[in-house]
């Protein structure tokens, strides 16, 4: 095995001496790389190592491509795990957090990753959370941060509220406790004010994965329809949102959600309704909306008046109606909604058909499609699609409805009833109401941990700390109380990409000039699990600061890349809690950083989950040892020039083809296939007889340049053997000789569903995408597939079969 320990230590010291990773002050061709930062719950694990290896590889390649790069690092340091550690292990959460940061930072530095540590940020540092608080004050000034009483998600395990995005399958995202509903007064951010921009600008994110964009579209959930006003028999009015106003004449009952204010008022007088609401709120939204679950409800014994027919209809409370959808009240149209149909059957309610299908449908089910209007008075015979527009106009003319849009996205609940977070910078005064802390008084510091009782009591530990809570009103000077809640950690991570720009600035959150210089982020690497949480918040804050004039960009990230998970040999995702995780430090101590990186990059495509195999670890070690043994002793100093005869040799052509492939593979994140190409090239180099001629020297130098982003330490060592004193990463990325890679041609057989439909001349070595592109240009092929195909089978250099 090559002496990796000495080599790694030597070159990491050298990189630090020359400031290789330092961010240039005046970038000419900027490139901003970020990986999603770690939570400080311990040392980095193998999943982190894989994620950071992708970013490091990209830094090295972009550097050789001539980019001026910002590649920062930071720590998501606030949050529940620190308090849980304090409670369970009798530890100081601050000490626990910073000890974890110290250990993880030491490990990352041992790995030689290309971070500019001068840009490091830690969310629990006062000079960071000062600006988190400043940001909350700006939201408040703009009317986007507000406090209201509402039903919220409550985790009985963590004893704090959760945002909708933190409830996964009805469970708390952190502790897996079953989430309940509680009515509390809480702080919200009005993300819904930016909903159209958040939705429409998804279409500008050309370099984001389509699945992430679709997840955001669905989470934002735009629905067009109508809001219709009904009246209770006591004269009280309420509104219903529906996407199908064409079914208005088919309404036979009303269902209130357990969270609705009307249901709450009725419950004060009706014990049966009160008990039903209590039981419903103990269930998760997932449980309440299971499609095949038997429908339940309770009759309020109140009636509502139909806005067009004046017909009376019963009002129920039903748990399948969610307070978070529309107005939290639905009109029951059992003939045209399956859920309403099942409810009506159970409670023996009328089922009135108002849309007739053009074809017969199954009995005992609701018809949910479009058709011809019936039982709708003067509108009978009209197509239902046309009737939607017509009835909306009628409702508007009568003053009982209007065209409207509903979104699934709700305002962002940010308050947490825990200690370890950024205190919400608001003061409560009996005389003046809520008053923001003056900006010159920021940060509002957390009290010392030794003065705080962390045991959860369904309220913030800060509420019991009199020295923290008691203050003076900035407006009237009278006695007042601080807000006891802290901000959710997602507030911290919604803007960290901005603090990296100007991490040491004490006067501003960041300098506008630095923002203009570096934004947007060119490449953001992280998990797809953040699609409907962090990434939406990050986009919202960027848009908010753009509107205020702090940023010139509306979107934070140009290119988003989602890495896969690391699984063990049994296909189980690795984690420390499961005891199946590979220890990064142990692995690196055993085989070295470069071999570990080669192994983890070679396991499979970066965006796919990978299964850890010991044989791949051994293979990467053999690969690098072979390179070291062959190149180190045979490396020759001085300039190398090739003559015309050298360029006719097979090895030269293989080198140029490999250069093209590795370049293309790195560009499209196909790191595993790039390494495979280098392995093939190494075999060719090994078989080359004359180790002293110019072509061999040219080849191993080119090989080192191509290998450098993947295995930086060993390549630097061998690069120095050529007589070079600076870093290989200050060299230009090699450009392949186009004449050397001219391929021979072949006749591509083109089949549709296995039948020959066309032939075309193509270059040997083309991939499936190129073969398909050629096939789709053939006139006879276009005639058969008409733009649609399900599957493509490609036999390289022979045929392509398109299944339609």
């Amino acid at each position: 095995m090559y002496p990796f320990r000495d080599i790694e230590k030597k070159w990491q010291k050298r990189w630090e001496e020359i400031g290789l990773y330092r961010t240039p002050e005046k970038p000419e061709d900027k490139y901003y790389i970020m990986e999603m930062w770690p939570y400080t719950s311990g040392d980095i694990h193998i999943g982190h190592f894989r994620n950071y290896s992708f970013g490091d590889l990209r830094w090295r390649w972009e550097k050789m491509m001539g980019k001026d790069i910002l590649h920062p690092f930071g720590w998501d340091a606030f949050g529940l795990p620190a308090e849980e550690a304090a409670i369970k292990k009798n530890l100081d959460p601050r000490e626990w957090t910073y000890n974890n940061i110290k250990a993880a930072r030491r490990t990352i530095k041992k790995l030689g990753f290309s971070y500019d540590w001068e840009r490091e940020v830690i969310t629990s540092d006062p000079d960071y959370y000062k600006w988190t608080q400043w940001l909350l004050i700006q939201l408040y000034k703009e009317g986007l941060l507000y406090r209201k009483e509402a039903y919220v998600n409550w985790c009985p395990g963590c004893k704090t509220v959760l945002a909708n995005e933190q409830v996964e399958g009805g469970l708390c995202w952190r502790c897996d406790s079953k989430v309940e509903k509680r009515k509390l007064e809480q702080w919200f951010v009005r993300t819904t004010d930016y909903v159209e921009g958040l939705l429409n600008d998804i279409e500008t994110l050309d370099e984001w994965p389509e699945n992430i964009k679709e997840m955001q579209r669905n989470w934002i959930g735009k629905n067009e329809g109508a809001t219709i006003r009904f009246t209770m028999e006591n004269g009280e009015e309420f509104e219903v949102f529906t996407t199908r106003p064409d079914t208005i004449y088919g309404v036979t009952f009303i269902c209130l959600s357990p969270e609705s204010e009307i249901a709450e008022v009725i419950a004060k007088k009706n014990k049966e309704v009160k008990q039903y609401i209590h039981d419903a709120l103990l269930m998760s939204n997932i449980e309440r909306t299971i499609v095949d679950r038997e429908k339940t409800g309770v009759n309020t014994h109140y009636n509502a008046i139909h806005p067009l027919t004046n017909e009376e209809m019963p009002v129920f409370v039903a748990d399948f109606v969610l307070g978070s959808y529309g107005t939290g009240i639905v009109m029951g149209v059992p003939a045209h909604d399956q859920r309403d149909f099942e409810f009506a059957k159970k409670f023996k309610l009328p089922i009135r058909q108002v849309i007739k299908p053009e074809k017969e449908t199954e009995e005992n089910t609701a018809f949910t499609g479009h058709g011809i209007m019936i039982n709708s008075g003067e509108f009978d015979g009209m197509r239902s699609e046309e009737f939607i527009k017509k009835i909306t106009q009628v409702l508007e003319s009568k003053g009982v409805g209007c065209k409207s849009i509903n979104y699934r996205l709700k305002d962002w609940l940010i308050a947490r009833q825990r200690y370890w977070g950024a205190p919400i910078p608001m003061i409560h005064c009996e005389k003046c109401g809520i008053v923001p802390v003056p900006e010159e008084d920021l940060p509002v510091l957390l009290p010392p941990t030794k003065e705080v009782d962390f045991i959860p009591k369904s309220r913030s530990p800060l509420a019991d700390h009199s020295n923290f809570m008691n203050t003076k009103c900035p407006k009237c000077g009278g006695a007042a109380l601080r807000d006891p809640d802290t901000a959710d950690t997602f507030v911290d991570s919604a803007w960290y990409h901005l603090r990296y720009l100007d991490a040491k600035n004490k006067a501003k959150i960041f300098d506008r000039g630095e923002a203009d210089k570096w934004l947007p982020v060119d490449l953001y690497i992280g998990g797809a699990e953040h699609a409907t949480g962090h990434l939406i918040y990050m986009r919202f804050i960027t848009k908010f600061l753009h509107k205020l004039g702090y940023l010139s960009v509306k979107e934070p990230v140009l290119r988003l890349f989602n890495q896969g998970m690391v699984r063990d040999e049994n296909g189980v995702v690795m984690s420390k809690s499961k005891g199946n995780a590979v220890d990064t430090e142990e692995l690196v101590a055993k085989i070295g950083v470069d071999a570990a990186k080669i192994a983890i990059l070679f396991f499979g495509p970066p965006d796919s989950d990978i299964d850890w195999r010991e044989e791949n670890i051994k293979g990467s070690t053999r690969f690098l040892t072979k390179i070291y043994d062959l190149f180190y002793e045979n490396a020759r100093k001085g300039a190398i020039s090739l003559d015309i005869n050298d360029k006719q040799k097979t090895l030269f052509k293989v080198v140029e083809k490999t250069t093209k492939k590795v370049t293309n593979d790195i560009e499209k994140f196909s790191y595993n296939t790039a390494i495979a190409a280098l392995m093939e090239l190494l075999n060719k180099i090994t078989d080359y007889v004359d180790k002293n001629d110019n072509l061999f020297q040219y080849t191993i130098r080119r090989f080192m340049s191509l290998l450098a982003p993947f295995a930086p330490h060993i390549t630097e060592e061998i690069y120095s053997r050529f007589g070079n004193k600076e870093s290989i990463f200050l060299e230009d990325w090699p450009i392949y000789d186009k004449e050397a890679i001219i391929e021979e041609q072949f006749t591509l057989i083109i089949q549709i569903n296995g039948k020959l439909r066309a032939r075309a001349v193509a270059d040997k070595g083309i991939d499936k995408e190129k073969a398909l592109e050629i096939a789709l240009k053939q006139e006879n092929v276009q005639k058969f597939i008409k733009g649609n195909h399900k599957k493509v089978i490609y036999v390289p250099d022979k045929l392509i079969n398109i299944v339609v």
Side-chain angles (χ1 to χ4, degrees):
M1 185 181 290
Y2 72 99
F4 62 83
R5 291 184 185 88
D6 294 338
I7 291 173
E8 289 168 8
K9 188 175 181 180
K10 170 184 174 181
W11 287 104
Q12 288 176 18
K13 181 181 178 183
R14 176 62 177 154
W15 294 333
E16 190 171 350
E17 288 172 350
I18 66 175
L20 184 64
Y21 305 145
R22 192 174 298 129
T23 306
E25 291 186 10
K26 297 179 180 179
E28 294 181 8
D29 190 6
K30 73 94 179 175
Y31 198 83
Y32 183 0
I33 308 174
M34 281 175 60
E35 297 91 30
M36 291 184 186
W37 56 5
Y39 184 74
T40 54
S41 56
D43 206 346
I44 69 164
H45 53 66
I46 201 69
H48 291 128
F49 178 68
R50 187 186 190 211
N51 191 26
Y52 304 155
S53 292
F54 297 152
D56 182 68
L57 190 158
R58 198 74 190 189
W59 183 95
R60 297 179 187 282
W61 184 66
E62 295 289 355
K63 182 71 174 175
M64 297 175 78
M65 292 291 286
K67 298 288 187 180
D68 296 316
I69 307 173
L70 168 59
H71 191 201
F73 199 83
W75 310 92
D76 190 9
F78 271 142
L80 285 171
E83 279 186 65
E84 295 302 315
I87 295 166
K88 293 177 183 177
K89 302 177 183 179
N90 195 27
L91 297 173
D92 182 321
R94 188 185 305 275
E95 185 178 334
W96 181 85
T97 297
Y98 283 86
N99 283 341
N100 287 336
I101 290 174
K102 185 177 179 181
R105 186 193 292 120
R106 184 182 64 245
T107 299
I108 292 172
K109 287 191 172 183
K110 282 183 181 179
L111 301 173
F113 286 138
S114 49
Y115 296 118
D116 180 356
W117 288 101
E118 293 179 5
R119 304 274 177 150
E120 181 184 24
V121 299
I122 303 173
T123 60
S124 54
D125 281 354
D127 62 358
Y128 186 91
Y129 72 76
K130 168 185 178 178
W131 299 109
T132 299
Q133 293 171 339
W134 177 89
L135 190 58
L136 292 173
I137 290 172
Q138 307 317 306
L139 289 164
Y140 184 80
K141 288 179 177 178
E142 295 296 316
L144 296 176
L145 177 65
Y146 66 97
R147 191 168 170 84
K148 74 169 183 178
E149 189 177 54
Y151 277 102
V152 296
N153 303 306
W154 177 264
C155 173
C158 298
K159 288 187 167 54
T160 189
V161 298
L162 304 172
N164 290 337
E165 293 82 359
Q166 293 168 325
V167 180
E168 299 175 350
L171 304 178
C172 171
W173 72 306
R174 281 226 183 263
C175 71
D176 287 338
S177 295
K178 187 175 178 181
V179 173
E180 303 169 357
K181 290 286 185 183
R182 285 195 182 183
K183 197 165 191 179
L184 299 170
E185 191 171 23
Q186 293 292 305
W187 285 102
F188 293 84
V189 173
R190 213 180 299 275
T191 48
T192 49
D193 274 21
Y194 283 68
V195 68
E196 279 293 332
L198 287 169
L199 180 62
N200 294 337
D201 289 348
I202 290 174
E203 306 312 314
T204 70
L205 304 176
D206 297 331
E207 296 185 77
W208 282 42
E210 189 55 43
N211 66 309
I212 299 295
K213 294 194 287 185
E214 189 60 21
M215 288 167 73
Q216 290 208 355
R217 290 187 193 101
N218 292 336
W219 188 257
I220 293 169
K222 182 177 182 178
N223 287 305
E224 296 184 357
T227 297
I228 303 174
R229 188 178 304 113
F230 288 77
T231 306
M232 297 286 282
E233 59 186 347
N234 62 4
E236 184 178 355
E237 294 182 338
F238 63 89
E239 293 183 336
V240 170
F241 172 80
T242 177
T243 58
R244 294 295 301 272
D246 52 329
T247 63
I248 182 66
Y249 286 101
V251 180
T252 60
F253 62 93
I254 295 293
C255 274
L256 310 174
S257 70
E259 297 92 340
S260 71
E261 291 185 11
I262 296 177
E264 192 175 334
V265 170
I266 294 172
K268 292 177 181 178
K269 302 177 183 178
N270 188 316
K271 291 183 179 179
E272 187 181 6
V273 172
K274 183 178 181 180
Q275 185 62 47
Y276 182 84
I277 291 175
H278 174 269
D279 295 342
L281 294 178
L282 291 176
M283 293 190 293
S284 70
N285 287 356
I286 297 291
E287 291 173 303
R288 286 166 58 182
T289 54
I290 293 173
V291 174
D292 55 0
R293 173 174 165 263
E294 183 180 359
K295 302 297 176 287
T296 69
V298 59
N299 195 332
T300 66
H301 301 293
Y302 280 83
N303 288 327
I305 311 300
H306 194 288
L308 297 180
T309 67
N310 292 323
E311 177 185 4
E312 291 189 352
M313 59 192 75
V315 176
F316 288 79
V317 177
D319 58 18
F320 66 81
V321 184
L322 301 181
S324 58
Y325 180 79
T327 64
I329 305 174
V330 301
M331 57 187 205
V333 189
H336 304 291
D337 182 284
Q338 188 61 29
R339 183 185 57 182
D340 296 349
F341 178 85
E342 293 166 12
F343 189 87
K345 282 283 189 180
K346 179 170 181 176
F347 289 93
K348 298 181 172 56
L349 299 169
I351 299 173
R352 183 179 301 133
Q353 185 180 9
V354 294
I355 302 175
K356 181 181 179 181
E358 295 181 1
K359 294 182 180 179
E360 291 298 319
T361 58
E362 294 181 36
E363 293 185 9
N364 214 33
T365 60
F367 172 64
T368 59
H370 285 285
I372 307 301
M373 300 306 304
I374 58 174
N375 299 321
S376 298
E378 62 185 287
F379 306 106
D380 286 356
M382 184 180 289
R383 290 200 59 83
S384 58
E385 297 98 326
E386 297 173 15
F387 184 53
I388 289 176
K389 297 177 183 178
K390 181 64 178 177
I391 194 61
T392 303
Q393 294 170 357
V394 170
L395 292 167
E396 288 178 345
S397 68
K398 292 181 177 292
V400 293
C402 62
K403 183 178 180 181
S404 62
I405 297 173
N406 182 69
Y407 294 93
R408 182 173 184 263
L409 181 73
K410 301 303 174 188
D411 286 345
W412 177 15
L413 196 165
I414 65 156
R416 297 294 178 268
Q417 291 69 48
R418 302 303 291 252
Y419 163 78
W420 193 237
I424 293 176
M426 297 293 162
I427 292 171
H428 299 265
C429 173
E430 286 190 12
K431 180 180 178 182
C432 305
I434 296 174
V435 182
V437 172
E439 292 179 21
E440 60 269 21
D441 293 344
L442 297 178
V444 177
L445 294 171
L446 286 168
T449 51
K450 62 184 178 181
E451 299 176 5
V452 179
D453 179 6
F454 303 107
I455 303 300
K457 305 178 183 67
S458 300
R459 65 179 183 274
S460 171
L462 295 176
D464 298 323
H465 194 289
S466 58
N467 287 343
F468 174 83
M469 291 296 295
N470 294 320
T471 188
K472 290 185 177 180
C473 174
K475 204 168 182 180
C476 71
L481 294 173
R482 293 193 185 280
D483 196 284
D485 289 348
T486 54
D488 180 29
T489 56
F490 276 117
V491 180
D492 303 320
S493 59
W495 71 277
Y496 77 121
H497 62 297
L498 304 174
R499 189 60 179 172
Y500 279 149
L501 304 172
D502 205 6
K504 309 303 179 189
N505 195 328
K506 294 187 180 299
K508 301 177 183 178
I509 187 170
F510 56 84
D511 183 79
R512 170 65 188 263
E514 292 300 307
D516 289 343
K517 191 187 297 181
W518 290 106
L519 290 177
V521 177
D522 293 275
L523 175 63
Y524 193 27
I525 303 171
E529 68 271 16
H530 295 290
T532 58
H534 160 65
L535 289 171
I536 285 182
Y537 304 143
M538 187 185 193
R539 294 181 61 220
F540 166 76
I541 291 297
T542 301
K543 290 181 181 299
F544 170 67
L545 291 175
H546 168 78
K547 187 175 180 180
L548 264 58
Y550 289 94
L551 298 173
S552 59
V553 298
K554 290 184 179 180
E555 288 289 339
V557 174
L558 279 180
R559 185 174 190 177
L560 176 68
F561 183 81
N562 296 139
Q563 88 284 357
M565 308 282 276
V566 182
R567 302 179 298 211
D568 63 19
E569 293 185 346
N570 298 315
V572 178
V573 174
M574 286 188 180
S575 71
K576 290 183 179 180
S577 61
K578 295 176 184 174
N580 65 343
V582 172
D583 186 278
T584 304
E585 275 207 279
E586 287 182 12
L587 176 66
V588 168
K590 181 180 177 182
I591 66 172
V593 175
D594 288 348
K597 285 178 69 175
I598 289 289
I600 206 162
L601 293 168
F602 188 57
F603 271 114
D607 56 353
S608 300
D609 294 347
I610 59 171
D611 294 328
W612 190 265
R613 292 190 179 87
E614 194 64 30
E615 61 197 62
N616 282 25
I617 302 300
K618 295 176 181 176
S620 67
T621 300
R622 287 195 300 269
F623 174 58
L624 294 182
T625 300
K626 187 175 180 181
I627 291 169
Y628 186 82
D629 291 345
L630 180 60
F631 292 10
Y632 189 80
E633 292 301 329
N634 290 308
R636 197 172 75 200
K637 294 183 179 180
I640 299 297
S641 60
L642 299 182
D643 59 27
I644 190 67
N645 292 326
D646 291 323
K647 294 186 177 183
Q648 298 304 314
K649 293 180 180 178
T650 301
L651 180 60
F652 177 77
K653 293 182 178 181
V654 172
V655 168
E656 301 309 301
K657 289 176 184 177
T658 304
T659 301
K660 179 183 179 183
K661 177 165 179 55
V662 172
T663 303
N664 292 342
D665 284 351
I666 291 177
E667 171 59 33
K668 61 184 182 181
F669 285 83
S670 296
Y671 301 148
N672 56 319
T673 56
I675 293 172
L678 289 171
M679 289 177 172
E680 290 180 18
L681 177 57
L682 181 60
N683 291 333
K684 301 287 185 183
I685 298 171
T686 305
D687 293 339
Y688 192 73
V689 176
D690 192 347
K691 301 296 190 286
N692 293 313
D693 75 356
N694 284 349
L695 180 56
F696 179 81
Q697 294 298 318
Y698 171 86
T699 299
I700 63 174
R701 293 182 185 204
R702 174 64 62 84
F703 191 97
M704 285 298 98
S705 292
L706 299 178
L707 181 65
F710 302 89
H713 301 87
I714 191 173
T715 49
E716 287 279 37
E717 181 68 10
I718 296 172
Y719 175 77
S720 69
R721 297 283 291 177
F722 302 137
N724 300 302
K725 296 181 180 180
E726 292 296 327
S727 170
I728 194 171
F729 299 106
L730 299 177
E731 297 282 359
D732 292 336
W733 183 256
I735 299 173
Y736 56 86
D737 186 330
K738 292 183 179 179
E739 291 186 7
I741 63 169
I742 295 175
E743 302 280 0
E744 297 178 16
Q745 294 184 319
F746 74 103
T747 300
L748 176 66
I749 304 299
I750 304 169
Q751 298 177 340
I752 307 293
N753 290 349
K755 293 184 179 180
L756 176 65
R757 297 300 182 188
R759 290 184 175 89
V761 176
D763 293 333
K764 282 189 175 181
I766 61 171
D767 57 18
K768 181 165 75 172
E769 288 72 21
K770 184 63 178 177
L772 180 61
E773 180 186 333
I774 293 170
L776 294 177
K777 289 180 179 178
Q778 310 307 310
E779 186 177 341
N780 201 40
V781 171
Q782 295 172 359
K783 181 172 67 175
F784 279 96
I785 68 170
K786 296 179 181 177
N788 298 310
H789 59 273
K790 292 181 180 178
K791 186 178 178 182
V792 176
I793 301 166
Y794 178 54
V795 180
D797 297 345
K798 290 184 180 179
L799 66 84
I800 185 168
N801 180 29
I802 303 171
V803 181
V804 298

